[in-house]
Every structure is written in C-alpha cells, then in structure tokens.
C-alpha cells in the first residue's frame, strides 16, 4: 500500500489511537496560545480594514475540509449512516459556522458560537480520534477542525465584536434543547427502542450513552436518566458559557478606544 492509499485508508483498526503526551502538550499550547494572542492583539485585529476576512478564510478552509471529509468517506467505503451523518454537535456547528461566515447567514452565529466552545473544549480535552494508524488524514483533520473552532470563537468575540446577551442566551438554550431532543428521537427511531443498550449503533451527540470509559456507567442508570442528564447538562453548559462570555466581553471592552464620530 503506497502512502496516498494509506493516508486515505477506509478501514479502522480495533483499538483507539494513543496520542503521545508530548504531542498533546504541543497541540494544547498551540490551541490556547493563539487564543491568548487574539486577546492580546484584539485592538489591532478589530481595527483592520476588513476584520471579517481572516474569519472567512478560516471558515473557507473548514468548508474545503468538509468536502474532502465526505469525499474520503464515500470513496474509501468508510461512510455509514450509524456514524457518518453530520449530526454530532461539532459537525453541525462547522456547517452553521460556514453558513454564517462564508455565506453571510449571521442569524446562526448565536448558536454556533456556543456549540463551538463546547466542541472545541471537550474535543481537545479528551482527543477521541478515529481509529486509524498514523499518518492518516483523520489524524490531522480531528485536530485542525477543533483547534480552528476555538480560534474562531475568540476571533469572533474580539475582532468581530460578538456580544453575549440574554436574547442570544435564550436562542441558544431553545435551539440546543430542541436539537438534543431531536437527536434522542432520531437515535431511538433508528435503534428501534428508547431503552439504551450497549450494542446500539446510533448514538449521535452521545445522547443515548457516554463514549469511552464512561459508557458502562451511563448504561447502569435507570431508563431515560442519562437522556435527561444530557439535556440538563447541555443547557447548564450553555448558561455557564454565557456567564464566561460576558467576562470575555468585559475584557474586550477594557481600555477600548472610542473612534471619533
């Protein structure tokens, strides 16, 4: 098998990918470091002639990636309805972000910015990669997508002036709750039952049971308990992000220079 064939191979191995500690530290430093730089240079970024240009380029990179991702899944034979649909929060968040920044649908910003914070943070914290040996396309794709999500959140706040307000909080809470309820119903319909079992194929959004080592714990809960915890947990995260976002807005406002009228 040549390099190109291996790089886009479509059959996963049975065991998880182990990311070396040193690489984790480097990736976390890169992820956090750029976000810090965005905060430090917020005035210069906001003062650009067209501050949206950088965000549009980053979103365009994600758009190209999504095309490559689904071409790879289709052509390699990897695509399957149980795992490949763009229904996980990170995946749908990327498309909402693209529709906003590339195609101008700004009404979606209040939703994707909350989901991007959740997706970027938890993905970088747990690093649950596709099960392909290095080097493989997905080894890189997982990281640059979730890292860019985090960067775009900070850039949208500090360069594009996004404000966390109560109206946006309400929209995010309602949208997230309805979407999660839809995922629970979709998973149940595809699995043929609302009662969670360990052999379920559909678990979009991890709304039926937790991934990895927490799976057995989630399966030990009484029926529907985990679903309820996920619904409440997401809404609680949205509210905490709102509070944190207000703090980020205050940092953005600190020592700001008013433009002459």
């Amino acid at each position: 098998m040549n390099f190109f064939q291996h790089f886009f191979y479509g059959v996963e191995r049975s065991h998880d990918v182990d990311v070396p500690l040193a690489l984790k530290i480097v990736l976390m430093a890169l992820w956090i470091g750029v976000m810090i730089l965005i905060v430090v240079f917020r005035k210069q970024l906001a003062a650009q002639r067209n501050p949206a240009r950088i965000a549009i380029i980053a979103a365009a990179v994600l758009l190209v990636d999504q095309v490559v991702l689904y071409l790879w899944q289709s052509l390699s034979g990897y695509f399957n309805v149980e795992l490949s649909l763009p229904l996980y929060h990170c995946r749908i968040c990327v498309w909402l972000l693209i529709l906003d920044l590339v195609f101008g649908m700004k009404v979606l910003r209040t939703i994707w910015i909350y989901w991007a914070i959740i997706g970027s943070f938890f993905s970088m914290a747990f690093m649950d990669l596709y099960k392909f040996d290095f080097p493989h396309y997905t080894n890189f794709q997982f990281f640059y997508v979730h890292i860019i999500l985090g960067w775009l959140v900070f850039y949208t706040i500090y360069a594009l002036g996004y404000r966390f307000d109560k109206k946006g909080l309400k929209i995010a809470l309602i949208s997230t709750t309805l979407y999660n309820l839809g995922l629970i119903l979709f998973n149940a319909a595809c699995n043929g039952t609302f009662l969670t079992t360990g052999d379920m194929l559909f678990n979009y959004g991890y709304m039926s049971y937790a991934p990895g080592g927490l799976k057995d714990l989630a399966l030990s809960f009484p029926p529907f308990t985990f679903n309820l915890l996920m619904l409440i947990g997401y809404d609680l995260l949205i509210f905490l992000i709102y509070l944190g976002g207000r703090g980020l807005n205050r940092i953005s406002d600190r020592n700001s220079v008013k433009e002459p009228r």
Side-chain angles (χ1 to χ4, degrees):
M1 183 183 295
N2 61 37
F3 176 83
F4 185 82
Q5 289 176 316
H6 182 275
F7 195 74
F8 289 103
Y9 192 52
V11 180
E12 287 186 285
R13 63 187 189 180
S14 59
H15 52 286
D16 296 333
V17 174
D18 183 26
V19 182
L21 178 60
L23 181 58
K24 287 182 179 180
I25 293 173
V26 170
L27 290 169
M28 292 288 284
L30 174 65
W31 177 56
I32 296 171
V34 172
M35 291 190 287
I36 292 173
L37 288 175
I38 290 172
V39 177
V40 172
F41 294 102
R42 60 189 182 275
K43 293 181 183 179
Q44 294 90 328
L45 292 171
Q48 297 175 91
R49 179 174 297 181
N50 182 14
R53 179 175 54 185
I54 293 177
I56 292 171
I57 292 172
V61 169
L62 293 181
L63 175 58
V64 172
D65 169 75
Q66 290 300 292
V67 173
V68 174
L69 174 67
Y70 284 100
L71 279 175
W72 161 67
Q73 293 201 26
S74 300
L75 296 177
S76 69
Y78 178 84
F79 185 88
N80 60 88
V81 294
E82 295 90 352
L83 296 171
S84 299
L85 297 178
L87 296 179
Y88 288 97
H89 296 83
C90 279
R91 294 179 188 175
I92 196 69
C93 169
V94 169
W95 281 106
L96 295 178
L97 180 156
I98 291 168
L99 290 172
D100 171 13
L101 296 175
V102 177
F103 298 102
M105 299 177 65
K106 293 184 179 181
V107 68
L108 301 174
R109 187 165 300 181
T110 294
I111 302 173
W112 74 254
I113 202 163
Y114 280 93
W115 290 10
I117 293 171
I118 295 172
S120 184
F121 175 81
F122 281 100
S123 296
M124 293 303 293
F126 294 102
M127 299 186 180
D128 184 22
L129 281 70
Y130 290 87
K131 299 176 182 179
F132 291 102
D133 288 317
F134 182 86
H136 189 270
Y137 161 65
T138 59
N139 301 151
F140 301 92
Q141 193 264 352
F142 175 89
F143 288 110
Y144 66 69
V145 167
H146 293 104
I147 286 174
I148 290 175
L149 283 180
W151 292 350
L152 278 175
V153 167
F154 273 67
Y155 191 86
T156 303
I157 294 170
Y158 290 109
L160 304 185
Y162 179 81
R163 309 292 301 185
F164 288 87
D165 55 29
K166 291 182 179 179
K167 179 181 179 182
L169 172 64
K170 182 178 179 180
I171 292 172
L173 286 171
I174 293 173
S175 301
T176 303
T177 301
L178 291 177
Y179 185 75
N180 286 341
L181 283 171
L183 286 182
I184 291 172
L185 293 174
F186 180 83
N187 288 335
C190 292
N191 287 318
T193 178
F194 277 97
L195 299 178
T196 304
T197 60
D199 59 352
M200 279 184 165
L201 296 177
F202 290 83
N203 186 29
Y204 281 108
Y206 302 113
M207 298 303 295
S208 297
Y209 55 83
L214 297 176
K215 179 178 179 179
D216 291 337
L217 175 63
L219 292 173
S220 70
F221 294 157
F224 309 116
T225 301
F226 183 76
N227 303 131
L228 182 61
L229 288 174
M230 289 295 286
L231 288 172
I232 295 173
Y234 261 99
D235 286 346
L236 180 59
L237 279 174
I238 294 293
F239 184 71
L240 292 175
I241 290 169
Y242 164 75
L243 295 179
R246 297 290 292 171
L248 293 178
N249 285 152
R250 286 192 289 271
I251 294 173
S252 182
D253 295 338
R254 190 176 301 160
N255 300 323
S256 62
V257 178
K258 293 184 178 180
E259 295 292 334
R261 295 182 182 273

